[in-house]
Every structure is written in C-alpha cells, then in structure tokens.
C-alpha cells in the first residue's frame, strides 16, 4: 500500500510539474503584438465553428485579412465563410492553414490571394511561420508544419515547435503583464477579418503604377562615373531596374494547395485583393506585369484568376486604403466583398444559410462598423450625419477653441442644430462654446466671450469641459474621469463615447475658422473598443 501511495504521489507531483512547465512555456511564447493576438483569435474562431458550416475559406497575407469581410458576405448574401489569412502568410503556411480547416470543414470554394506568390527571395526570417506554429494545437497539422518549417532555412528546427521554451527561454526580462493575459477561445466575431479604420490615400493612380512598372522593366541603360578620367561612361545592364518573377518555392506550395483542393472536391479561386503601390517602395506592390505572370500560372493549373485591381469593385484608392495604397481599410473591404459575393454566387454552387453564431457575430460587427465609419471620416458633413444617426447610442461632447465661427455656413449650423443644439449659432467671433449631448438629449450648452467651463456627471462618468476663444486663453479641454480627450485645436473639438461600453470611440477636430473645415483625428481609441466587442463575442 505504501508503494502504491508513493507511485500516486509521484504521478500527482509529475502532473503538477508538467502543468506548471506548460503554463510557464505559454507565458514565454514570443508576443509579436497585434499579429499574435489576431492569429490566436483566427485559429480559436476556426475551432469554435460547427463542423461543415463554412462554404468559403479565404487564405493569404495581410492584404486578404484586411481586404475581405466574411461578415459582410454573410450580411448581404448569407454565405458562411471564414478568413484564415495572417500577416505575411507564405503560400506554404496557407497550405497548412487549409489543412487545419479541412479537419472540421468541407468548403465548396477556397479563395487564395496572389500576393505571396511573389515572395521576396531574400526573406530569411521565420516570424510569419511562428504566428501560426505557436498557436496551433499539438495535432497532425502542427507536426507536418513543423517538419516543413525545419526543412526551410530556419535554424531553430522542429524541437522549438514542440518545446517553444527552447526558442523563447531568454524572454524573462521582456515579460509584461499582458504576457499573463490569455484570450479565451470562441467564435471570432469578424470571422477572421482584421478591421482597420485609418484612411491614407495612395499617391498614384492604377494607370500611373502600371506606367512606372513598365518603364522600370524596360530600363537596362545606366551610367558610371569613371574616377580616373572623370568622364561619364554609358553602360547596358543585363537586368532591368524591375523584373517581377514568381517565387519558385511559393509556386510549388501553391500547386500543393491546388492538389489538396482537387482531392477534396473543392474549387480553388485565385484572386488579387486591390493594392496600389509601386515597386520602388514595397515588395507587396501590384501591377499589370505581375498580373500577367499570375494569369499564366492560373491558366497552366486550370484555375480561375480574378484580378480585383482591374475589376469594377467601386474601390477608391483615395478613400479606401489605410496606408497609401498597400492595404484596404474596412470600408474598402466591404466594397470588395460585395463584388466577390456576386461573383461567388454566379460561378459556384454555394449554400445561402442562416446560422445562429453568424447572426450573433453580425450584431457585434455592425457595432464596430458604425464606430469604424465615424473613425474614418474627416468630412464635416458626413461626420455630423453619423452623429445624428447614432445620437441615441453615443454621448457627444463639444468644445470650441480660439475661433469657431468664421468658416461656418447656415448649412453647417443646421447640422449641429439637428442634434438639438440651440445656441451654437449665437457664438460671435472668438467666443467660447461648449455642449454635451447624452443619448440624443442636450444636457448642457453654453456660449461666452470669456473662458467657459462646466462639470457634470453623465452616466457615472465625471465630465469636465472648458473652452476659451482667441481673446482669452485660447484653449479647450474635454476630460472624462480625469483623462483628456480634446484635440486642442482651433475650431470645434468633438469627443464621442459609447453609452453601452462607456469607452471613448472618437476624438475629432474640425477647423471651422475656415470654410474648408479641415478635419483631424486621434486614431488611438479604437483598439479598446475592438477588445470590448471581442470580449462580448466570446
């Protein structure tokens, strides 16, 4: 009996030790920031899906995860889909993400973005593998991916996949509180999309990008200053300034994806999410030369290729991109998704179905979409229209600074008055102005030629407002629970916070001193709201 007790105690001690070891190892896993968090949620959301519930799976890089909205596809067409794209996802990684999906799903269509077919051959880092490897559960797919990973040029090998502590044991000094906070599993309310509100226009048109790429591809001339003679010597080079080519390794893995789809009776669709960047600035650029090479590959493999850069998707490269044309923002993603929905239904036999988990997620998606819309707008008329539409959901705080009246027209005042404001038109040149609107009801409004301040409690939050014109201190303040949110710029400063969550969702200034009413924003408030919505969807 004593021997049995000893064995039991030893087993219990061993189990506790293994448990502690696994917890420590999980904490030490490298945190790649937003990409790690997003990838964890993508895979957890995939695991949470009902078996055989998804008809379309999306694969690709950040172009795909930012540029395709499964929830918009569901909202408009009742197509259940899931976005398995991750940042800088190699085609090899896409292959294993598809294998992971096929453990529980049998999609009718797999849609793969073409960007990674042109992987830069000089890439020698493993980050885009580790997003996925460190997140996958220990199963057959992880084992197969680990073997492929070890077969690449990375030097940490397959052992680091099964025992990540081998790779990350030096992270002790880097640990922060967030390393000890783990996301719960559950359906990802975006179904894998990464939603972005920021707007930054591309400086080029599609035609200009193609012209630049063509010119660089034909340019083999050059010169060199000969130091000895001090003369300029013309040279002809064997390679042009730009010579796009498919990555052989990426093509090989894409052929494996095509074979895997064929074996499972799945239609494979190759697309290009719209981007508008020139070769000089980005390895993720796109142009007619790359498009032509991709179409040749698709024809050889007998696969449809849909280049959305050259389709009538309604995309505006001045309004629908988030970083100068490299990625779409969420408004652009919805336009592309609407186009794709029509195409998918026209070419493939897809179920149009309603599912409870997608219905619930859609309600959360709509909430953050309304906030994203507000967040992305720097146009005065559109901004005021959105405030009016959602005035019952949001609390709105306004503080003028320096001078807010000179550029205002009757139409501008009317939009503010539609919110219930009655004294904003009474302001004279360099006057101070404050307003607070709670759930569509004006709870405070004031105008003065002196410094104006007001304090109140709105739904449990302590709100302190201050405004002063050019003749006085010339400043503004909008504080909620002692945190400052005003842009502190000339004109009208708006702060909007969501009544349900109690979180600030927007801070915008319009320089109404001029008729241009230039808008400026603080984009830092969206992340907390996104986290709150994710928590609600778990």
């Amino acid at each position: 009996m004593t021997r049995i007790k000893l064995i039991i105690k030893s087993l219990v001690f061993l189990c506790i030790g293994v448990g502690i070891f696994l917890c420590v190892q999980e904490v030490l896993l490298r945190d790649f920031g937003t990409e790690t968090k997003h990838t964890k949620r993508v895979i957890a959301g995939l695991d949470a899906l009902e078996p055989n519930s998804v008809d379309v799976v999306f694969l690709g890089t950040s172009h795909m995860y930012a540029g395709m909205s499964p929830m918009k596809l569901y909202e408009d067409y009742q197509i259940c889909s899931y976005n398995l794209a991750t940042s800088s996802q190699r085609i090899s990684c896409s292959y294993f993400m598809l294998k992971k999906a096929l453990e529980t799903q049998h999609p009718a269509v797999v849609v793969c973005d073409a960007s990674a077919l042109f992987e830069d051959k000089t890439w020698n880092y493993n980050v885009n593998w580790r997003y996925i490897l460190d997140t996958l559960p220990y199963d057959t797919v992880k084992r197969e991916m680990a073997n492929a990973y070890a077969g690449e040029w990375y030097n940490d090998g397959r052992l680091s996949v099964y025992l990540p502590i081998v790779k990350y044991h030096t992270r002790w000094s880097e640990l922060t509180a967030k390393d000890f906070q783990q996301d719960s599993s559950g359906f990802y309310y975006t179904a894998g999309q990464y939603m972005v509100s920021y707007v930054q226009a591309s400086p080029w048109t599609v035609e200009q990008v193609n012209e630049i790429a063509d010119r660089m591809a034909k340019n083999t001339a050059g010169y060199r200053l000969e130091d000895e003679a001090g003369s300029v010597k013309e040279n002809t080079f064997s390679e042009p300034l730009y010579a796009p080519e498919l990555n052989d390794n990426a093509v090989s893995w894409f052929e494996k994806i095509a074979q895997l789809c064929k074996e499972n009776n799945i239609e494979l669709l190759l697309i290009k999410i719209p981007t508008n960047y020139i070769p000089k600035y980005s390895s993720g650029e796109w142009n007619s030369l790359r498009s032509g090479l991709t179409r040749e590959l698709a024809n050889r493999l007998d696969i449809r290729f849909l280049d959305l850069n050259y389709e009538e998707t309604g995309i505006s490269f001045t309004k629908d991109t988030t970083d100068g044309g490299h990625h779409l923002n969420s408004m652009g993603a919805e336009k592309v998704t609407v186009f794709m929905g029509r195409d998918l239904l026209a070419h493939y036999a897809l179920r149009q179905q309603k599912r409870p988990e997608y219905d619930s997620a859609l309600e959360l998606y709509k909430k953050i979409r309304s906030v994203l819309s507000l967040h992305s707008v720097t146009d005065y008329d559109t901004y005021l229209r959105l405030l009016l539409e959602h005035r019952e959901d949001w609390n709105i705080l306004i503080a003028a600074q320096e001078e807010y009246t000179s550029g205002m027209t009757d139409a501008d005042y009317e939009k503010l008055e539609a919110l219930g404001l009655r004294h904003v038109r009474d302001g004279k040149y360099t006057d101070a102005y404050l307003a607070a609107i709670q759930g569509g009801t004006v709870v405070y409004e004031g105008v003065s030629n002196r410094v104006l301040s007001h304090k109140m409690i709105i739904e449990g939050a302590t709100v302190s407002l201050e405004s002063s014109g050019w003749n006085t201190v010339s400043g503004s303040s909008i504080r909620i629970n002692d945190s400052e949110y005003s842009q502190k710029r000339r004109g009208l400063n708006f702060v909007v916070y969501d009544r349900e969550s109690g979180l600030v969702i927007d801070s915008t200034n319009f320089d109404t001193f001029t008729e241009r009413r230039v808008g400026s924003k603080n984009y830092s408030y969206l992340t907390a709201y996104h986290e709150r919505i994710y928590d609600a969807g778990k």
Side-chain angles (χ1 to χ4, degrees), residues 142-335:
K142 183 161 186 163
R143 184 169 63 253
E144 291 180 8
M145 190 175 182
N147 290 336
Y149 173 74
E152 296 282 337
W153 49 83
Y154 310 121
N155 59 13
D156 49 359
R158 63 174 62 84
L159 179 62
S160 73
V161 176
Y162 300 112
L163 291 173
I165 200 169
V166 171
K167 181 176 177 65
Y168 301 125
H169 66 278
T170 59
R171 283 199 68 234
W172 290 108
S173 61
E174 303 174 13
L175 295 180
T176 63
K178 68 179 182 179
D179 289 297
F180 296 88
Q181 300 169 359
Q182 300 298 321
D183 281 331
S184 301
S185 60
F187 186 70
Y188 194 4
Y189 76 94
T190 68
Q193 179 195 8
Y194 185 74
M195 300 182 74
V196 185
S197 65
Y198 189 70
V199 178
Q200 184 181 11
S202 171
W204 309 281
T205 66
V206 172
E207 293 75 21
Q208 286 172 332
V209 168
N210 285 332
E211 189 276 328
I212 291 168
D214 288 342
R215 186 175 71 244
M216 292 175 67
K218 295 173 182 175
N219 189 341
T220 56
Y223 64 87
R224 179 172 62 243
L225 181 64
E226 301 288 354
D227 291 336
E228 308 83 47
S231 61
V232 174
K233 180 180 180 181
E234 294 292 333
N235 294 275
T236 299
F237 298 95
S238 59
E239 293 293 333
L241 287 172
Y242 177 58
E245 59 179 341
L246 293 162
N247 183 294
D248 294 339
N249 186 51
V251 169
S252 176
W253 279 103
F254 185 72
E255 290 171 344
K256 292 179 182 179
I257 290 176
Q259 182 61 33
L260 184 60
C261 288
K262 185 176 181 180
E263 292 170 358
N264 287 273
N265 297 314
I266 299 170
E267 297 277 6
L268 177 59
L269 172 61
L270 185 61
I271 72 169
K272 180 63 191 80
I273 294 290
T275 56
N276 204 49
Y277 241 65
I278 63 174
K280 178 179 177 180
Y281 293 120
S282 170
S283 61
E285 87 281 354
W286 195 256
N287 51 63
S288 57
L289 300 176
R290 283 195 167 193
S291 183
L293 291 172
T294 304
R295 193 167 300 281
E296 290 175 7
L297 173 65
N299 290 341
R300 178 170 69 80
L301 298 177
D302 195 24
I303 294 169
R304 277 190 75 215
F305 172 52
L306 191 58
D307 193 334
L308 299 178
N309 250 44
Y310 306 111
E311 297 287 342
E312 295 296 329
T313 60
I315 285 294
S316 165
F317 284 113
T318 61
K319 297 179 180 179
D320 296 326
T321 65
T322 188
D323 48 8
H326 200 194
H327 296 88
L328 296 180
N329 56 35
S330 293
M331 291 67 70
E334 289 212 341
K335 292 179 181 179

Side-chain angles (χ1 to χ4, degrees), residues 81-129:
S81 64
Y82 201 80
N83 195 332
L84 285 171
T86 56
S87 180
S88 300
Q89 187 179 101
R90 292 179 178 272
I91 297 292
S92 49
C93 295
S94 296
Y95 172 81
F96 291 108
M97 290 295 270
L98 177 56
K99 292 203 77 171
K100 172 64 179 173
L102 294 180
E103 289 180 338
T104 57
Q105 303 297 322
H106 194 286
V109 183
V110 167
V111 184
C112 187
D113 182 66
S115 299
L117 289 169
F118 295 86
E119 291 172 1
D120 189 334
K121 292 184 178 181
T122 64
W123 284 359
N124 60 359
Y125 55 88
N126 60 10
V127 170
N128 39 21
W129 285 77

Side-chain angles (χ1 to χ4, degrees), residues 32 48 103 165 268 278 290 353 369-370 376 404 425 427 519:
F32 296 104
E103 289 180 338
I165 200 169
L268 177 59
I278 63 174
R290 283 195 167 193
Q353 55 177 324
R369 181 173 61 191
S370 65
S376 64
Y404 81 92
R425 198 188 292 259

Side-chain angles (χ1 to χ4, degrees), residues 53-73:
S53 61
V54 169
D55 282 342
V56 181
V57 167
F58 298 103
L59 303 171
T61 65
S62 53
H63 297 290
M64 179 68 91
Y65 83 29
M68 189 63 63
S69 171
M71 295 316 304
K72 181 64 176 174
L73 197 61

